[in-house]
Amino acid sequence: IVNAPNTCSSTVPTGNLTITKTVTGGTDPQTFNLQLDCSDDTFDDNAIVLTAGATHTANNIPAGTTCTVTETAPTAPTGYTYNTPAITPAQPVTIVENTTVAVSVLNAMTQNCSINTPTVTSTCNNNGTPSNTSDDKFTYKITATGSNVGATYSITGGDTYANRSYG
């Protein structure tokens, strides 16, 4: 009888997955709720909480497992709106042996436009004929200020007034 040591190994090849959270367009100190759903349910995680700039790692996921990262829609800070989250690469991802699959979750914020009450300054030019109102020209200057507003504005309309008195 020969006693030989057992040299069989049933090690399953594995890889890792990292999730990195990024916010652009402003700062947001809140925590963001993400979920990891894998074809091997052992690695599902519905309670990943990250702040902007943070990373979560799931280790030793069996190679060949497919995983999908999702995010619960965050509420943007006051004065901002979040665009649709960009999760890259396209989901699901496949875990590769001895490799870390990197997933990025990007929330781009856009500052909301806010216009203060405009100031309207009007002037009348009677073209040197004060008794003839038909050739009068009115000029309006509208000054708008606010946050996240452009330097130029377009005004449209077709208001026409006749027989208006001014004084």
Side-chain angles (χ1 to χ4, degrees):
I1 298 180
V2 177
N3 287 328
N6 183 355
T7 58
C8 286
S9 176
S10 62
T11 303
V12 176
T14 62
N16 305 314
L17 182 139
T18 62
I19 304 168
T20 302
K21 179 66 189 174
T22 305
V23 173
T24 62
T27 58
D28 189 349
Q30 75 173 303
T31 56
F32 297 88
N33 298 306
L34 297 106
Q35 300 79 37
L36 178 62
D37 181 22
C38 297
S39 58
D40 180 338
D41 292 339
T42 305
F43 297 92
D44 287 357
D45 189 343
N46 291 318
I48 300 168
V49 178
L50 295 176
T51 56
T55 298
H56 170 84
T57 302
N59 293 308
N60 301 316
I61 302 172
T65 300
T66 58
C67 296
T68 300
V69 174
T70 56
E71 178 182 38
T72 303
T75 301
T78 301
Y80 290 85
T81 302
Y82 272 120
N83 298 338
T84 301
I87 301 176
T88 54
Q91 302 294 299
V93 294
T94 302
I95 304 303
V96 179
E97 181 179 357
N98 297 323
T99 301
T100 297
V101 176
V103 175
S104 171
V105 179
L106 168 68
N107 292 99
M109 285 193 300
T110 303
Q111 188 176 13
N112 298 337
C113 176
S114 173
I115 297 177
N116 299 327
T117 303
T119 302
V120 180
T121 307
S122 61
T123 56
C124 175
N125 180 345
N126 65 14
N127 283 318
T129 58
S131 61
N132 181 3
T133 58
S134 66
D135 66 350
D136 290 356
K137 303 290 184 205
F138 291 90
T139 304
Y140 299 94
K141 178 181 178 186
I142 301 173
T143 305
T145 60
S147 61
N148 202 31
V149 294
T152 61
Y153 307 92
S154 297
I155 299 174
T156 58
D159 292 340
T160 303
Y161 296 100
N163 300 321
R164 300 284 180 175
S165 61
Y166 61 94

